[in-house]
Amino acid sequence: MTKKRYLILEDGTVFEGEAFGADRGMVGEVVFTTSMSGYQEALTNPSNTGVILVMTYPLIGNYGVNRDDSESVDLNLGALAVRAIEDQPSNFRCDETLSSFMEKRSIPGISEIDTRKLTRIIRSKGTMKGMLTEAGKDVNLDTALQVLAASEMAPGLVEAVSTKRPYPSPGRGKRVAVVDYGMKHGILRELNNRGCDVLVVPYDTSAEDVLAWHPDGILLSNGPGNPEDVAEAPAFIREVLGKVPIFGINLGHELLAISCGAKTFKMGFGHHGGNHPVKDLQTGRTEITSQNHQYAVDLDSLEGTGLTVTHVALNDGTVEGLAHETHAAFSVQFDPEASPGPEDSNHLFDRFIDTMERHNGKEIIANA
């Protein structure tokens, strides 16, 4: 028998729906994604740690869940909100239903709510906190709003999702150290597809330890939360900058900017989805990209940092890519490995390989 469940926003808006997944309640930031597919990848993306994710596409779960498409082993998503959940999926790769997948991993969900209305609220008022109630239990609205007002979004998200010890992903090509701030497995896939010999290291690994491995390049991964909370990152990046090529993705992009003296800000409702147009200022080409970030680099703070803008978002003009004027370092705010999403920007991994090929062990300029 289906149980009731409520989603309560901090502005007092209440959505009544049906529970699926785990029975527990939770509090988190409510964000929406415009992706039409890829719900399994979204659930397992460490960048979504702790959030209540709203799927704007109405029918979710129709192709089930399989063992191959997860972006991480552990699930850290707070909750999932959908218009309709399908419990009889049809796909030859399907291993189980989305609801059972979430129940086993303690992720609650709510269905049969007006996700279009919910998305419009977030777009007009910005990202806000929300409470998902326990399945089948009523909650006093005043009490819920007090809990929401008192709750704070937890810092230390990167520490929670980063690997606790280094591990290899062997290859016979370029040696790449990946700093795991909440890495998607798609990044490893793209590096391995290019023959790279990869070592994934924890977020707080010292520059000395990473350089002792003699990497040909360093990749700063995606991850959750506020980049200002990753206190260890700027000093690490400044120490390796100019010694080996650097490629930053998503949170890694923001951390590269901060390490060079730029600032970041929290966006109104962020970029989440697989259909965001980005213009490459170096080629003039527009690419459709997969994005999942709540923070962005402040354009006005880039003066004097040695960074130049390489990509901009066509929807709102925000910074989507940077390159260092002196050192071999570049970054993008979007996810070039997609998973899910378009593969227009997959060539950036080839650019990273080319940069490492040109590097001779000394400081080089980015376009040498």
Side-chain angles (χ1 to χ4, degrees):
M1 180 178 177
T2 303
K3 297 179 180 179
K4 285 194 305 182
R5 171 170 274 158
Y6 299 94
L7 173 60
I8 303 170
L9 304 182
E10 63 179 304
D11 69 349
T13 305
V14 179
F15 292 87
E16 179 181 336
E18 297 180 357
F20 69 96
D23 281 346
R24 72 178 183 90
M26 62 83 60
V27 173
E29 284 194 323
V30 184
V31 302
F32 66 86
T33 175
T34 55
S35 289
M36 297 177 66
S37 62
Y39 51 79
Q40 181 176 344
E41 292 90 336
L43 259 69
T44 56
N45 183 349
S47 294
N48 285 328
T49 297
V51 306
I52 300 174
L53 187 65
V54 181
M55 304 294 295
T56 57
Y57 187 72
L59 180 60
I60 301 299
N62 52 308
Y63 54 86
V65 174
N66 65 73
R67 65 179 184 177
D68 298 321
D69 289 346
S70 292
E71 285 298 315
S72 66
V73 175
D74 299 319
L75 271 68
N76 298 285
L77 181 77
L80 187 67
V82 303
R83 176 66 183 89
I85 183 74
E86 177 55 67
D87 276 331
Q88 293 182 315
S90 176
N91 188 278
F92 72 97
R93 299 172 68 230
C94 175
D95 293 322
E96 63 180 314
T97 67
L98 175 58
S99 184
S100 67
F101 180 75
M102 291 171 56
E103 185 175 6
K104 292 175 184 176
R105 292 157 179 81
S106 194
I107 298 177
I110 183 171
S111 66
E112 300 302 324
I113 65 171
D114 188 344
T115 50
R116 177 175 292 184
K117 176 182 177 180
L118 177 53
T119 300
R120 288 173 66 89
I121 291 172
I122 299 171
R123 281 186 58 88
S124 62
K125 297 184 178 181
T127 299
M128 64 181 74
K129 292 178 287 187
M131 172 188 287
L132 207 66
T133 65
E134 292 184 47
K137 293 188 178 181
D138 292 327
V139 174
N140 180 274
L141 180 59
D142 291 336
T143 301
L145 294 178
Q146 290 174 11
V147 171
L148 284 168
S151 66
E152 296 183 4
M153 297 301 101
L157 297 178
V158 166
E159 180 180 3
V161 299
S162 177
T163 182
K164 300 301 183 285
R165 57 183 63 87
Y167 64 90
S169 184
R172 294 180 177 271
K174 293 299 179 182
R175 294 163 66 90
V176 178
V178 177
V179 184
D180 180 11
Y181 298 115
M183 179 197 69
K184 294 171 64 181
H185 285 174
I187 290 175
L188 274 186
R189 179 196 65 229
E190 294 302 328
L191 292 173
N192 289 152
N193 284 348
R194 290 161 175 81
C196 292
D197 185 19
V198 180
L199 179 68
V200 181
V201 300
Y203 78 101
D204 57 353
T205 305
S206 70
E208 180 182 6
D209 286 346
V210 170
L211 294 174
W213 188 61
H214 303 294
D216 296 302
I218 295 174
L219 190 147
L220 310 173
S221 84
N222 65 294
N226 186 345
E228 298 285 352
D229 290 340
V230 193
E232 300 84 356
F236 169 87
I237 296 171
R238 284 193 290 267
E239 193 167 344
V240 300
L241 187 63
K243 296 177 180 175
V244 292
I246 296 174
F247 180 20
I249 293 176
N250 204 312
L251 179 62
H253 157 84
E254 297 158 9
L255 294 174
L256 175 64
I258 290 173
S259 72
C260 293
K263 298 183 182 302
T264 58
F265 66 95
K266 189 171 185 179
M267 307 173 75
F269 47 83
H271 292 169
H272 309 275
N275 52 5
H276 289 262
V278 168
K279 184 173 183 179
D280 185 334
L281 300 180
Q282 297 173 318
T283 65
R285 180 185 178 190
T286 295
E287 298 175 351
I288 304 302
T289 65
S290 176
Q291 303 207 12
N292 190 33
H293 62 99
Q294 199 66 35
Y295 291 81
V297 175
D298 182 359
L299 176 63
D300 295 334
S301 72
L302 290 174
E303 185 175 356
T305 63
L307 297 170
T308 58
V309 178
T310 59
H311 297 75
V312 295
L314 293 182
N315 285 338
D316 58 14
T318 52
V319 176
E320 289 284 343
L322 295 167
H324 202 282
E325 297 171 353
T326 305
H327 304 303
F330 69 99
S331 61
V332 290
Q333 183 70 83
F334 46 91
D335 298 321
E337 80 287 347
S339 300
E343 299 179 353
D344 294 19
S345 303
N346 193 265
H347 63 88
L348 289 171
F349 288 97
D350 297 321
R351 176 182 169 187
F352 185 40
I353 300 295
D354 291 342
T355 303
M356 290 187 287
E357 292 281 359
R358 295 196 306 269
H359 190 250
N360 61 3
K362 300 177 181 179
E363 292 192 10
I364 61 170
I365 60 174
N367 297 317

